[in-house]
Amino acid sequence: MATFHRKTGTFISLSNNNTSASRNNPTTEFNNGVIMSNEPLCDDVLFEVRINKKVNSWSGSIEIGVTTCDPSTFTFPSSATGFREGTWVMLGSSILKDGQSIVEEYGQDLDQLNEMDTVGILRTSSGSLHFYINGIDQGSAASNLPNKIYAVIDLYGKCSEVSLVRDNSQHGGSSPCGAGQLSNEMANMEIAEQESSVVMMMTSPLPSLPSNEHLVFHERIGSLIKLSNNRRTAERRRPLDEFNNGVIMTNRPISDDQLFEIRLDRLVDKWSGSIEVGLTTHNPGNLDFPATMTNIRSGTIMMSGCGILTNGKGTRREYGEYNLDELMEGDRIGMIRKSNGCLHYYINGVDQGVASTETPKTAWAVVDLYGMAVKVTILDCLRPQTQPESVRGQRANNIIRQFRDTIFADELEDEQQRDRLTFHSNCANHCALTNGHMTAFRPNPLEDFNFGIAMTNRCLRANETFRVRLDSTVDKWSGSLEIGVTEHPPQDFEFPCTMTNMRSGTWMLSGSGIMHNGNPLNEDFASESQQFQQPDKLSKLKVGDVIGVTRREDGTLHFSLNDRELAIEAGNVPENVYGVIDIYGQASQASIVNDVDVCRNSHHVSSEDELRFHRRHGRNACISNGGRTAIRPNARGEFNDAILMSNRPLKDNELFEVMIENMVDRWSGSIEAGLTTIKPEDIEFPSTMTDIDFQTWMLSGSAIMQDGFTIKNTYTCDLDKLSLNSRIGMVRSVEGNLHFYINGEDMGVACYNIPQNVYAVIDLYGQCAQVSITSGGHVHMAVADHLHHGSAAHEARPRPTTNESLTQTPDSTNHRFSQRCGVNIALKNNASSAERTKSFNHGLVFSADPLKSGEMFEVRVERLASQWSGSLAIGLTSMISDNTAVDHLPSSASANDFNDFTSRPSSKTIWMVCDCQVKKNAGIICENYAPSLQRLQVGNLVGVKRGVDNTMHIYLNGRDLGVAACDIPKNVFAVIDVYGMVEAITVTSSPLKDMVSQLLEYSTPSHVIRSTSTESLQGDDHDNDNDKREGDKDTSVKSFIFHESHGKNIKLFNAGLTAQRMASYNEAIVFSNRHLQSNSVFQVKIDRLNENWSSSLMIGVVECCLVDVDQLPISAIDVTKKVCCILQADSVYYSGVKVKDYFGANMDTLAVGDVVGVSLDEDRQLHVYINGCDKGVAAKDVPPHCFAIIDLYGQCDQVTILTDEALSMPKTDSSFNSCEVSSKVECSDYREKVDSEDGMKEKMYESPLNDISRESSKCDYQSACERFKSLLGLPEAYFDSTHNRCYCEACYKLRGDELYYKRGDPLKDYAIPIGWCRFALRVTT
């Protein structure tokens, strides 16, 4: 007899021979009430307890489960949920394993049980865990349980006393405890016997079955069901308006081996889905009928479509040979629960086999008249009535022929996926795989040229062609893609550097012909082909070319190019050979082209363009129906991680539309939709798409979100309010606007300036569990018409005829105004013009989108009204414009209601420039900031900019008026008050381009692209064999330009020779396009200084160029992960650490026109040059092949490279003066002087003590002292500049000054003032 173990929780007392347990002080203590069974549980024996007493002091109640922990050695936790090491506990209606929830909704809620209710647990012989409540099996809660487990009970919360139920009868078998092995064997034999007899059951007679004439439908039914024919017929009312709430159940549980069969009497051709049939342990007299039976999460087995669902979750994807959704009127559906617990379904009398092997003993038949199914009738029959075999076969063939694409699409696709050729996961060292092992590439094609071998995952079949498409190349090496076959399996293959080095079992097509085991077979293999006329045959391959290899049945090997056969080149090739490619030399990436893809391309060209869901998606999403349907399978257990994307970018005016096919009522929130420029192959899917912070626009509820931030609230539709069968679509118009469509109706512009090549995004979030694509991937002509012409309706108000500029069509790339604006504002020209129609106020307008860092919103004054005073005001606001009703906007930026508006607790901050004052909310923060805006005239331009340093700048006619406010947050909108005499304005600015567009715009011309490509970034530190493979590479020294990778505030122009900092004072790092060669000087001239900042240019060298723009630090001294030597002011930094002070040059004292450069000598020492003068060694042991790095920091905001093609390192300081002279001319003049041989000779031998050259230039220190003197405001008339002299260490050494001189009368020793700068006073006589 079962008892409780004597070891218990702290507050437990046992009684009645350890068969009863109570918690001490139940009204003051709620936990530490754990008890366990004295012995491990026996298979198929129920361990059951009865609740004797409950208290109402606490929440929660009894918890029950099993554990592998031995109670005699285990230290009890305070509650059962604290068990670990293999513990399954039912808590409320959830199942926990080791404290973690594994089933959210299971069975009846334990917290709702009353006194005298019973709860039990049972481990079946197959290792499944079942819970019983009041004797009713709640279904399988877990599987694969260990053999030795103990029952665990927690008298928690309200439950204070339990007792064991002594009648622990066996369930699910008759074998005693200890005979589990025999029971398992018998069960396995039974299942095997059932499976083997499926075919025989179709023709063999069935045993006589008990009659079901007394089975009728229960009087409690779904809300839309109507019963007739003495409760033997059920019909769903309003079938064209409603598709669910049609659940019906039998009046009693079905008996073992009793057939329950119904006839499908009526269908409607409107909905998707159809009848569902199954069993449930829930008593219809107590059940709260759900909308559909698949929502039940306990004790229910249903056949839905062609699958079996247990407790709402799919347990068999494909069952039987029929699909319930494809049945027609008159078809019959039956089921039998056999005495061994197996459930069988019968369709038109044909046994479909075992659907479940663990069917509860007590179960009611249940029918769900869902979707198309409207009416059914219970049939009286003793056995399933089978159709003639010929009829069955004909019907099955018709179904397969008619519905092959829909019923078996997933199976066929899976079979193709398993059978298709892919690359094996084991590949060479320099090779990597992507795209589901369909694509192989060399990650660093500019650093290495070999070890790029990849092999197929299986052997090639006879006459099977292994085709490979060349995806990308690099313009550096010689040689290209090679293809062939090998007998060596890829699993344990030791890859050589190139397959042509293999000396056994290998045939390769390379640039030098067919190679067998490393030896050429026929070097003129393709002389007949016009594709190859040069010795480097395969090196002529272009991106997009497809090469193939085929082993025929006769053992011959054939090669093809773009499906054109070249020649038969090898014979006696054995069977079981693997396809192999060598991504060698110029080739950097290649992809397999399967036969199925070739077939698709040749016979289904139109389907290739069809919009479907991409194969990559969130982890909780599944794709079916050939990529047209997406499902979140565990919709009640998971609410996110179900992001889907289109298989290709959307075309202009192309509608991507989905229909919601399934929803759950468990979560908040619903479907989210939008667009992104990120490719599906490149994205790491987050839990929800609104977490993406780059180039993504999403509609979530009624909020428009860009890059994870809300930019617009109260959009004209709310996705959270969509119902089942609603349709949502999205379109990017040719103007770059994003429109959403709900059930075919345009909801208006959601976002402007959406780039091209965007992918559609659907997030099956919250309540939305299933969608299907409806648009078919075609351009929606009605949509295109509407997007081109629909905006005319918004321009119904008469426009002024006095100003034609207002009627001109704006550039589609310009900024636009938000639709939320003052009550007197009329927006025109696609919201790019704003006009105040009456009065002098209520003219607030906002930008449609928040400004990015460094982005300016600018307007042009179009019309003035002289009868009003006051003028335009402009600024920024963190208030989302769509979040405020029009009626609630203040009348103007200077009115009292503006102060009241900004003082509200819920209001956001507003910074405005009114007249010449800067206001923050209601307070003035700056007086006399700028010229009065009341002086604006027609045609004047006024703009506002959020700087990258979080400052607000106002621009007047393109001139920056300086910082108006600081600490501006992100996601602020431009706000303009069209007030007083200003009556009409038009937007003239455009959104800030993304980094990719900037790189394209400022990239170097085609004749220098090769020198700026990334192979130059990594240096030429290769072995001699690498150099040999580069062919006839031009070894002449090329001029430096700036590399295309640079800081985000940099703009390159002048063919990459000039770099300009466009904003702020930092994030302006630039690199040379190639590494520095020994004794060559990289020099730049300072073109422009900005006195508003402190500090200035930094220069040095870095081990390699930082190609990833997003990883560039804000300044050069922050480069710490690479070897980087930087001169900042007069200090030297080595990888971010200051290693030297008081260096001979000071970067902060450089003036416009000064030339600064760096060079590496033969001993790898870094030299710094100022105006051609070597300032000495700044660092030693610098790595070879370094790139020049320049930081346009602080005052320095523009530099230009001096293109001296072979400038040798000066040997003495005498070159300083010559370079000083040349540095004072423009870049073109400089090149002429250094290229003039005679001029160079004259300069090289010019005396360093020449007075003219000495006075022709100022050193850094003297320039700094002059700037300081100018700050003192002393009149220049007091000074005589002809006698000024600098006594810094560099200048006095260059002049050859002595440290001491004799001066005065009488003569006395005089020490020159080292470190000072003399400014002579003017002497008047």
Side-chain angles (χ1 to χ4, degrees):
M1 183 181 68
T3 60
F4 294 126
H5 197 278
R6 64 179 182 275
K7 186 176 180 180
T8 63
T10 306
F11 298 136
I12 287 295
S13 296
L14 299 179
S15 60
N16 195 18
N17 294 325
N18 293 348
T19 59
S20 296
S22 61
R23 192 176 76 240
N24 300 329
N25 303 320
T27 59
T28 58
E29 301 291 344
F30 63 89
N31 57 3
N32 286 296
V34 178
I35 50 179
M36 295 178 63
S37 61
N38 189 42
E39 299 291 340
L41 300 184
C42 296
D43 288 347
D44 299 318
V45 176
L46 180 66
F47 183 90
E48 191 175 29
V49 296
R50 180 178 60 250
I51 301 175
N52 294 334
K53 186 176 180 181
K54 297 186 71 175
V55 295
N56 294 322
S57 304
W58 313 104
S59 61
S61 187
I62 187 172
E63 299 171 0
I64 185 171
V66 295
T67 181
T68 58
C69 303
D70 191 335
S72 59
T73 59
F74 184 64
T75 302
F76 284 19
S78 60
S79 67
T81 55
F83 279 72
R84 297 295 185 267
E85 302 176 5
T87 301
W88 293 261
V89 173
M90 183 175 179
L91 169 66
S93 60
S94 301
I95 303 298
L96 281 69
K97 180 182 178 182
D98 296 336
Q100 301 293 324
S101 176
I102 58 174
V103 180
E104 290 290 340
E105 292 188 9
Y106 169 83
Q108 189 174 345
D109 192 346
L110 296 184
D111 296 344
Q112 305 301 320
L113 298 183
N114 300 316
E115 293 181 356
M116 307 311 294
D117 284 341
T118 61
V119 56
I121 48 178
L122 178 143
R123 181 195 185 277
T124 67
S125 57
S126 60
S128 297
L129 175 63
H130 289 244
F131 289 87
Y132 285 76
I133 296 178
N134 293 322
I136 298 177
D137 185 2
Q138 304 299 301
S140 177
S143 58
N144 300 320
L145 265 67
N147 291 327
K148 184 179 180 181
I149 54 175
Y150 294 83
V152 55
I153 311 290
D154 189 356
L155 304 187
Y156 183 83
K158 294 180 180 180
C159 181
S160 61
E161 183 178 330
V162 298
S163 294
L164 282 170
V165 178
R166 296 180 181 274
D167 185 17
N168 295 336
S169 58
Q170 294 180 354
H171 292 249
S174 59
S175 58
C177 182
Q181 181 178 2
L182 179 60
S183 175
N184 288 340
E185 293 177 356
M186 293 177 63
N188 292 335
M189 291 175 60
E190 176 68 21
I191 294 174
E193 180 182 353
Q194 294 294 333
E195 291 176 346
S196 63
S197 62
V198 169
V199 178
M200 297 177 60
M201 290 284 289
M202 297 175 61
T203 55
S204 62
L206 295 173
S208 179
L209 300 176
S211 172
N212 64 351
E213 60 182 354
H214 299 298
L215 276 178
V216 295
F217 291 124
H218 198 278
E219 61 268 12
R220 292 195 75 244
I221 53 181
S223 60
L224 294 180
I225 288 295
K226 176 180 67 175
L227 298 179
S228 60
N229 189 22
N230 294 322
R231 300 210 314 261
R232 298 178 65 80
T233 299
E235 183 176 2
R236 191 179 81 240
R237 292 174 292 185
R238 293 184 286 133
L240 296 177
D241 299 326
E242 303 287 345
F243 59 89
N244 54 9
N245 287 299
V247 177
I248 41 179
M249 297 172 61
T250 54
N251 61 324
R252 63 170 176 82
I254 63 172
S255 306
D256 287 348
D257 298 319
Q258 180 180 12
L259 174 67
F260 171 76
E261 189 173 36
I262 58 174
R263 181 183 64 240
L264 193 55
D265 294 334
R266 183 186 171 196
L267 297 170
V268 293
D269 187 15
K270 179 175 182 179
W271 313 103
S272 62
S274 189
I275 190 170
E276 299 173 352
V277 183
L279 295 175
T280 182
T281 59
H282 296 277
N283 191 326
N286 303 325
L287 180 65
D288 184 10
F289 280 79
T292 175
M293 204 60 193
T294 53
N295 289 348
I296 297 293
R297 289 297 180 263
S298 63
T300 303
I301 302 172
M302 298 292 292
M303 181 177 180
S304 175
C306 57
I308 302 298
L309 283 75
T310 303
N311 299 332
K313 298 181 179 180
T315 54
R316 293 193 63 173
R317 185 177 180 182
E318 291 295 334
Y319 167 74
E321 59 182 81
Y322 288 88
N323 188 330
L324 297 188
D325 296 344
E326 307 297 341
L327 296 183
M328 297 178 291
E329 293 178 356
D331 286 339
R332 306 190 317 277
I333 310 164
M335 59 183 174
I336 295 178
R337 183 200 180 280
K338 303 218 170 179
S339 57
N340 59 7
C342 293
L343 175 64
H344 290 246
Y345 282 91
Y346 292 82
I347 306 296
N348 293 321
V350 179
D351 187 359
Q352 304 300 299
V354 178
S356 174
T357 58
E358 296 182 357
T359 310
K361 190 94 175 155
T362 303
W364 283 260
V366 57
V367 177
D368 191 348
L369 296 181
Y370 181 82
M372 296 185 294
V374 175
K375 185 177 179 180
V376 295
T377 298
I378 296 178
L379 299 178
D380 287 329
C381 56
L382 297 179
R383 66 179 63 189
Q385 299 176 4
T386 61
Q387 294 176 331
E389 184 176 359
S390 60
V391 176
R392 292 201 310 270
Q394 180 180 2
R395 176 180 173 83
N397 290 335
N398 290 337
I399 291 176
I400 293 175
R401 184 167 55 252
Q402 188 173 1
F403 301 105
R404 179 180 301 273
D405 291 340
T406 56
I407 299 177
F408 301 109
D410 293 336
E411 288 76 1
L412 293 174
E413 186 174 348
D414 291 343
E415 183 65 26
Q416 291 173 357
Q417 290 291 340
R418 287 191 296 268
D419 190 57
R420 66 166 37 187
L421 276 175
T422 63
F423 290 119
H424 195 275
S425 56
N426 187 30
C427 52
N429 296 339
H430 294 163
C431 185
L433 304 179
T434 185
N435 190 22
H437 289 192
M438 294 294 292
T439 300
F441 64 100
R442 291 204 321 272
N444 300 303
L446 298 168
E447 295 182 3
D448 45 66
F449 58 87
N450 51 13
F451 284 103
I453 302 168
M455 298 172 62
T456 57
N457 61 324
R458 60 171 174 82
C459 295
L460 300 182
R461 301 187 178 97
N463 298 323
E464 180 180 20
T465 301
F466 173 49
R467 294 181 179 87
V468 176
R469 180 182 62 247
L470 183 61
D471 293 335
S472 64
T473 60
V474 294
D475 189 12
K476 182 173 183 179
W477 315 104
S478 60
S480 188
L481 187 67
E482 301 175 355
I483 191 170
V485 296
T486 181
E487 295 181 273
H488 300 278
Q491 293 84 352
D492 304 318
F493 187 51
E494 293 186 6
F495 290 92
C497 62
T498 175
M499 279 303 288
T500 54
N501 289 348
M502 286 299 299
R503 293 297 181 262
S504 63
T506 302
W507 293 259
M508 294 296 295
L509 173 63
S510 69
S512 57
I514 296 294
M515 307 287 289
H516 175 45
N517 299 336
N519 300 314
L521 288 180
N522 184 356
E523 296 186 0
D524 297 324
F525 74 100
S527 58
E528 302 176 3
S529 174
Q530 297 179 359
Q531 303 291 338
F532 304 103
Q533 299 295 338
Q534 304 297 329
D536 54 341
K537 301 174 180 66
L538 284 188
S539 63
K540 297 290 185 180
L541 287 177
K542 303 181 298 295
V543 172
D545 284 344
V546 177
I547 59 174
V549 59
T550 307
R551 182 197 174 275
R552 299 282 172 84
E553 291 180 344
D554 57 1
T556 57
L557 199 64
H558 294 244
F559 292 95
S560 63
L561 173 65
N562 295 325
D563 292 328
R564 178 180 177 182
E565 187 172 315
L566 299 178
I568 298 176
E569 290 306 319
N572 301 318
V573 178
E575 296 181 353
N576 300 324
V577 291
Y578 294 83
V580 58
I581 63 169
D582 193 347
I583 305 175
Y584 183 80
Q586 295 179 353
S588 61
Q589 178 174 312
S591 297
I592 294 178
V593 181
N594 275 308
D595 288 337
V596 64
D597 299 325
V598 174
C599 181
R600 245 182 229 152
N601 294 335
S602 58
H603 296 93
H604 302 282
V605 177
S606 60
S607 66
E608 184 182 89
D609 202 39
E610 183 179 355
L611 275 174
R612 302 189 182 190
F613 291 118
H614 197 274
R615 63 179 180 275
R616 293 198 71 239
H617 47 72
R619 64 181 179 87
N620 287 335
C622 293
I623 305 297
S624 62
N625 192 21
R628 300 179 184 89
T629 300
I631 308 169
R632 197 174 79 240
N634 188 16
R636 290 189 169 272
E638 302 282 352
F639 62 89
N640 55 7
D641 284 308
I643 297 172
L644 309 145
M645 296 179 66
S646 60
N647 61 328
R648 62 168 175 82
L650 300 186
K651 303 173 183 176
D652 289 345
N653 290 341
E654 183 176 22
L655 176 68
F656 182 87
E657 187 181 53
V658 297
M659 175 182 286
I660 300 176
E661 295 184 332
N662 188 19
M663 300 184 74
V664 295
D665 55 0
R666 175 175 175 82
W667 314 103
S668 61
S670 188
I671 187 173
E672 298 176 352
L675 301 174
T676 182
T677 61
I678 308 174
K679 295 181 180 179
E681 297 86 355
D682 299 336
I683 191 173
E684 292 294 334
F685 287 100
S687 59
T688 176
M689 200 63 188
T690 53
D691 293 339
I692 295 291
D693 59 358
F694 176 74
Q695 293 290 294
T696 301
W697 299 262
M698 296 294 295
L699 175 59
S700 175
S702 62
I704 302 296
M705 304 186 70
Q706 178 178 345
D707 300 341
F709 293 98
T710 301
I711 62 172
K712 188 180 296 184
N713 274 328
T714 62
Y715 184 60
T716 49
C717 72
D718 188 346
L719 297 188
D720 294 344
K721 296 181 180 179
L722 295 183
S723 59
L724 204 64
N725 298 316
S726 295
R727 291 177 290 117
I728 176 172
M730 63 210 80
V731 173
R732 180 201 177 272
S733 68
V734 291
E735 295 87 1
N737 302 333
L738 170 59
H739 292 247
F740 286 97
Y741 284 74
I742 302 299
N743 296 322
E745 181 181 354
D746 186 6
M747 297 291 105
V749 177
C751 293
Y752 298 96
N753 304 304
I754 305 297
Q756 291 182 328
N757 297 321
V758 288
Y759 292 81
V761 180
I762 298 293
D763 193 346
L764 298 184
Y765 183 82
Q767 297 179 355
C768 182
Q770 179 175 328
V771 296
S772 287
I773 297 176
T774 65
S775 58
H778 301 294
V779 176
H780 198 291
M781 299 311 296
V783 171
D785 259 0
H786 178 77
L787 294 180
H788 279 297
H789 308 297
S791 59
H794 298 287
E795 302 180 7
R797 296 186 186 178
R799 65 182 70 195
T801 58
T802 58
N803 193 338
E804 294 192 3
S805 63
L806 285 177
T807 66
Q808 295 174 356
T809 303
D811 186 355
S812 63
T813 61
N814 280 4
H815 283 116
R816 288 175 174 83
F817 294 118
S818 170
Q819 296 295 327
R820 298 285 180 166
C821 52
V823 294
N824 291 338
I825 287 293
L827 299 180
K828 303 183 177 183
N829 296 335
N830 202 10
S832 65
S833 297
E835 176 190 359
R836 197 178 70 245
T837 57
K838 62 181 180 179
S839 189
F840 62 90
N841 57 4
H842 287 290
L844 286 178
V845 289
F846 302 86
S847 61
D849 299 305
L851 300 187
K852 302 175 183 178
S853 295
E855 185 174 10
M856 181 171 68
F857 188 89
E858 187 180 53
V859 297
R860 180 177 61 245
V861 178
E862 299 288 6
R863 192 171 70 244
L864 298 176
S866 58
Q867 69 267 30
W868 305 115
S869 63
S871 185
L872 175 144
I874 189 169
L876 298 173
T877 178
S878 58
M879 174 186 68
I880 301 175
S881 58
D882 286 351
N883 207 24
T884 304
V886 172
D887 297 338
H888 294 164
L889 289 176
S891 60
S892 72
S894 58
N896 291 331
D897 57 349
F898 180 83
N899 299 339
D900 297 338
F901 177 79
T902 55
S903 61
R904 297 173 189 169
S906 60
S907 180
K908 300 295 183 72
T909 309
I910 301 177
W911 297 264
M912 293 287 287
V913 175
C914 307
D915 194 3
C916 58
Q917 299 174 336
V918 182
K919 292 183 177 181
K920 180 180 179 181
N921 289 346
I924 298 175
I925 60 175
C926 181
E927 296 274 6
N928 300 319
Y929 161 71
S932 175
L933 296 184
Q934 297 193 23
R935 301 176 182 175
L936 291 177
Q937 300 296 321
V938 173
N940 286 164
L941 301 177
V942 185
V944 60
K945 179 178 180 181
R946 181 194 179 276
V948 293
D949 54 350
N950 302 328
T951 57
M952 181 178 81
H953 292 246
I954 302 298
Y955 285 76
L956 183 59
N957 292 323
R959 183 167 64 93
D960 188 358
L961 300 182
V963 176
C966 301
D967 299 325
I968 306 296
K970 293 182 179 180
N971 296 309
V972 289
F973 295 76
V975 54
I976 299 174
D977 187 4
V978 185
Y979 181 81
M981 63 178 183
V982 176
E983 283 193 338
I985 57 175
T986 297
V987 177
T988 61
S989 58
S990 300
L992 186 66
K993 295 183 178 179
D994 56 85
M995 183 60 68
V996 176
S997 300
Q998 290 183 15
L999 287 176
L1000 291 176
E1001 180 177 353
Y1002 304 132
S1003 60
T1004 55
S1006 59
H1007 66 277
V1008 294
I1009 286 178
R1010 184 170 299 181
S1011 64
T1012 61
S1013 61
T1014 52
E1015 75 262 12
S1016 61
L1017 307 182
Q1018 312 300 336
D1020 297 332
D1021 49 348
H1022 299 289
D1023 298 333
N1024 292 334
D1025 59 337
N1026 296 20
D1027 298 333
K1028 180 179 65 175
R1029 296 183 61 126
E1030 294 190 36
D1032 300 329
K1033 181 180 177 181
D1034 183 14
T1035 58
S1036 62
V1037 178
K1038 300 175 183 178
S1039 298
F1040 285 107
I1041 60 173
F1042 288 120
H1043 190 267
E1044 59 188 8
S1045 177
H1046 49 70
K1048 69 177 186 179
N1049 291 333
I1050 285 292
K1051 174 183 176 181
L1052 301 180
F1053 55 93
N1054 189 20
L1057 293 171
T1058 301
Q1060 180 182 357
R1061 192 180 73 236
M1062 303 299 296
S1064 188
Y1065 62 91
N1066 56 8
E1067 297 191 87
I1069 296 176
V1070 289
F1071 305 92
S1072 61
N1073 66 309
R1074 58 181 177 86
H1075 65 81
L1076 300 180
Q1077 297 181 352
S1078 296
N1079 296 330
S1080 65
V1081 184
F1082 176 84
Q1083 295 188 112
V1084 296
K1085 178 170 66 72
I1086 297 178
D1087 296 334
R1088 196 170 68 191
L1089 295 175
N1090 186 344
E1091 301 292 341
N1092 294 329
W1093 306 107
S1094 60
S1095 296
S1096 190
L1097 176 140
M1098 307 179 201
I1099 191 169
V1101 293
V1102 66
E1103 184 178 11
C1104 68
C1105 180
L1106 305 178
V1107 179
D1108 192 347
V1109 176
D1110 296 331
Q1111 295 182 0
L1112 287 178
I1114 60 174
S1115 69
I1117 60 175
D1118 293 326
V1119 178
T1120 58
K1121 295 183 179 180
K1122 302 290 183 181
V1123 176
C1124 182
C1125 300
I1126 289 292
L1127 180 61
Q1128 189 265 333
D1130 61 350
S1131 301
V1132 179
Y1133 290 79
Y1134 190 88
S1135 297
V1137 179
K1138 184 187 288 188
V1139 295
K1140 184 182 295 186
D1141 270 325
Y1142 308 112
F1143 185 66
N1146 191 331
M1147 298 292 104
D1148 292 348
T1149 62
L1150 296 176
V1152 173
D1154 285 344
V1155 177
V1156 59
V1158 290
S1159 175
L1160 294 176
D1161 61 18
E1162 295 90 341
D1163 299 324
R1164 291 164 46 199
Q1165 298 182 118
L1166 174 64
H1167 294 252
V1168 178
Y1169 293 83
I1170 305 294
N1171 294 322
C1173 176
D1174 187 355
K1175 295 298 182 179
V1177 175
K1180 298 181 180 180
D1181 298 325
V1182 177
H1185 310 301
C1186 283
F1187 294 80
I1189 177 174
I1190 294 180
D1191 190 351
L1192 277 64
Y1193 186 84
Q1195 294 183 352
C1196 180
D1197 60 10
Q1198 182 173 319
V1199 297
T1200 297
I1201 296 177
L1202 300 183
T1203 55
D1204 183 7
E1205 300 234 333
L1207 183 63
S1208 299
M1209 189 188 310
K1211 301 300 181 182
T1212 67
D1213 286 346
S1214 61
S1215 62
F1216 169 58
N1217 297 313
S1218 63
C1219 292
E1220 284 181 340
V1221 176
S1222 63
S1223 67
K1224 298 304 177 181
V1225 297
E1226 295 298 326
C1227 181
S1228 59
D1229 296 333
Y1230 177 85
R1231 287 196 297 269
E1232 291 174 5
K1233 291 180 183 288
V1234 297
D1235 290 340
S1236 173
E1237 183 178 356
D1238 295 337
M1240 280 298 293
K1241 290 180 179 180
E1242 293 174 3
K1243 295 182 181 70
M1244 289 295 289
Y1245 294 101
E1246 190 174 357
S1247 171
L1249 301 180
N1250 185 293
D1251 291 339
I1252 298 177
S1253 65
R1254 185 168 60 244
E1255 300 299 334
S1256 64
S1257 177
K1258 303 182 182 68
C1259 75
D1260 309 330
Y1261 186 69
Q1262 187 177 12
S1263 299
C1265 292
E1266 284 191 351
R1267 288 196 295 269
F1268 176 76
K1269 181 178 73 71
S1270 64
L1271 293 176
L1272 299 178
L1274 300 176
E1276 289 296 330
Y1278 291 171
F1279 299 94
D1280 183 3
S1281 61
T1282 59
H1283 298 286
N1284 293 349
R1285 176 162 293 191
C1286 179
Y1287 292 96
C1288 69
E1289 290 191 6
C1291 288
Y1292 92 85
K1293 290 181 179 179
L1294 285 174
R1295 290 193 300 267
D1297 291 347
E1298 300 291 339
L1299 292 177
Y1300 294 93
Y1301 288 95
K1302 296 286 187 179
R1303 294 286 192 271
D1305 186 16
L1307 294 175
K1308 292 185 179 180
D1309 286 338
Y1310 165 73
I1312 63 174
I1314 302 298
W1316 289 79
C1317 185
R1318 182 178 73 192
F1319 295 96
L1321 296 176
R1322 185 179 301 277
V1323 179
T1324 58
T1325 56

